Amino acid sequence: MPNQRRNSILFTCLGIALVMLFLANISLGAVKIPLTDVVNALTGNHASKPAWDYIILSYRLPKAIVAVLAGMALSVGGLLMQTLFRNPLAGPDVLGLSSGASLGVAFVILGAGLLPGALGIFLMSGYGVVLASVAGSFAVLLLVLAVAQRLRDTMGILITGIMFGSFTGAIVSVLTYFSTAEQLQKYTFWALGSLGNLPQQSIIILTIVTIIGLVLAISCIKPLDALLLGERYAASMGINLKRTRFIIIIAASLLTGCVTAFAGPIAFVGLVVPHLARLLLKAGSHRILFWGTLFIGGILMLFCDMCTQLPGTAAVLPINGITSIVGAPVVISLLLKKRNRTY
């Protein structure tokens, strides 16, 4: 079967799977709502029970939208970093981006109260949290990239990312030591990760920042293909390496930072999804990989969010625990199968 036709069929299947999981995600929960009622509520008609309309539109629909945005943003961020570093183990959590974003949020949650009035109030707002989170991930990625220019070898870059993660984790530990019980509880719940209970303002900010990050990533698709063959080849193709690298860093920082700010440091999604896209689509071109990563990221996060719902109860597990349980075996399996893969 020609590749173009095969990819068209695969993308159609991925689109259908995304829509079906989106509806199933809204349907499942402490109160099970039939799919027909979910569709009626989403299309402007009323569900069979008035309470279901409220549950769907006020709680489950925003949560499902956040799940799709988070999955897509983290997955594309991981794809950008794996290509930039030409490293299959690069990802938001492995290279310390999530840790940097966590440090930014920790400064806001644990330390904003010490700042003078207007500045402290701004940092505690949704905009302030996102700004701090993006700044943290941006700073760590810049530092890792600066060290990568000197080290060049894969293992050294990974160790550097892990060290930066440990360093930021140590600073967060110091901050938590001096924080109050209320601040500590707030930070602990944030660190566990959650896709629900976000106010409308936060969802709007998350949507806008994610779209900006994805547009920046799309603008780099051609240079990303060239970077796969090495920086010298990319330069010989007329690619402006400094400009391209800067745009990729900005895009990855925005995509990782905004999700981490609102949903917590979600592990493994950014690392696993680009590999799944390569395996499924069997393509090296970012024109195909980008969209495959986007769809699979949304699908995987919706699935993980559904797994957080304990059947028959109102209890919801932390999303970070589920992504780690799903992601860790997948990463080990992929590494064993693709240990000779060259980036």
Side-chain angles (χ1 to χ4, degrees):
M1 183 183 297
N3 286 338
Q4 190 173 358
R5 187 182 171 193
R6 178 179 175 276
N7 287 337
S8 298
I9 294 173
L10 283 174
F11 276 114
T12 302
C13 293
L14 288 175
I16 293 172
L18 183 66
V19 172
M20 294 307 295
L21 274 175
F22 187 83
L23 296 176
N25 184 285
I26 295 174
S27 171
L28 296 178
V31 178
K32 187 178 179 182
I33 302 175
L35 282 176
T36 51
D37 287 293
V38 172
V39 174
N40 285 336
L42 295 181
T43 53
N45 301 313
H46 292 291
S48 303
K49 299 179 181 178
W52 288 355
D53 279 328
Y54 176 78
I55 293 172
I56 292 170
L57 299 177
S58 301
Y59 179 69
R60 294 188 184 176
L61 176 61
K63 187 162 72 76
I65 292 173
V66 172
V68 172
L69 289 173
M72 290 181 170
L74 290 175
S75 303
V76 172
L79 177 66
L80 293 177
M81 281 181 282
Q82 287 176 9
T83 303
L84 178 64
F85 289 96
R86 298 182 68 204
N87 189 326
L89 291 179
D93 44 326
V94 176
L95 287 182
L97 262 74
S98 296
S99 300
S102 300
L103 179 62
V105 175
F107 271 123
V108 169
I109 294 178
L110 305 177
L114 302 175
L115 298 174
L119 182 59
I121 293 172
F122 170 74
L123 286 177
M124 288 299 289
S125 69
Y127 296 101
V129 172
V130 171
L131 187 63
S133 182
V134 170
S137 62
F138 180 76
V140 170
L141 186 51
L142 271 183
L143 289 170
V144 173
L145 192 62
V147 176
Q149 295 299 314
R150 292 175 176 271
L151 290 179
R152 296 285 179 183
D153 67 295
T154 300
M155 189 58 68
I157 295 170
L158 289 179
I159 292 174
T160 301
I162 293 170
M163 289 302 103
F164 277 125
S166 299
F167 179 74
T168 54
I171 296 177
V172 171
S173 299
V174 173
L175 287 173
T176 55
Y177 180 79
F178 290 104
S179 62
T180 63
E182 184 183 357
Q183 290 172 325
L184 192 58
Q185 185 186 41
K186 189 175 180 181
Y187 180 78
T188 301
F189 279 118
W190 170 83
L192 288 173
S194 174
L195 302 174
N197 300 320
L198 285 183
Q200 189 178 15
Q201 181 200 34
S202 299
I203 296 175
I204 292 173
I205 296 172
L206 177 63
T207 305
I208 293 172
V209 177
T210 300
I211 291 174
I212 294 172
L214 293 178
V215 170
L216 287 174
I218 290 173
S219 71
C220 293
I221 283 180
K222 185 180 176 182
L224 284 169
D225 284 339
L227 280 174
L228 276 180
L229 300 174
E231 292 187 352
R232 288 184 180 179
Y233 175 81
S236 70
M237 294 291 290
I239 303 295
N240 186 329
L241 290 178
K242 284 187 178 178
R243 179 176 173 275
T244 300
R245 200 180 291 126
F246 182 72
I247 294 175
I248 292 173
I249 291 172
I250 292 288
S253 301
L254 286 174
L255 293 170
T256 303
C258 71
V259 173
T260 306
F262 292 122
I266 299 174
F268 286 105
V269 174
L271 177 61
V272 169
V273 172
H275 290 286
L276 294 177
R278 289 188 187 95
L279 285 175
L280 182 65
L281 298 170
K282 301 186 187 307
S285 170
H286 285 78
R287 284 185 179 83
I288 299 171
L289 276 180
F290 174 85
W291 297 108
T293 302
L294 203 69
F295 276 102
I296 296 173
I299 290 170
L300 182 66
M301 189 58 84
L302 283 171
F303 173 75
C304 289
D305 183 51
M306 289 164 65
C307 293
T308 63
Q309 301 283 343
L310 292 178
T313 71
V316 179
L317 298 175
I319 186 69
N320 209 4
I322 299 299
T323 56
S324 298
I325 290 171
V326 172
V330 174
V331 171
I332 294 171
S333 172
L334 290 172
L335 287 176
L336 290 174
K337 289 180 180 177
K338 297 292 180 183
R339 59 185 184 277
N340 295 322
R341 190 184 187 100
T342 302
Y343 279 76

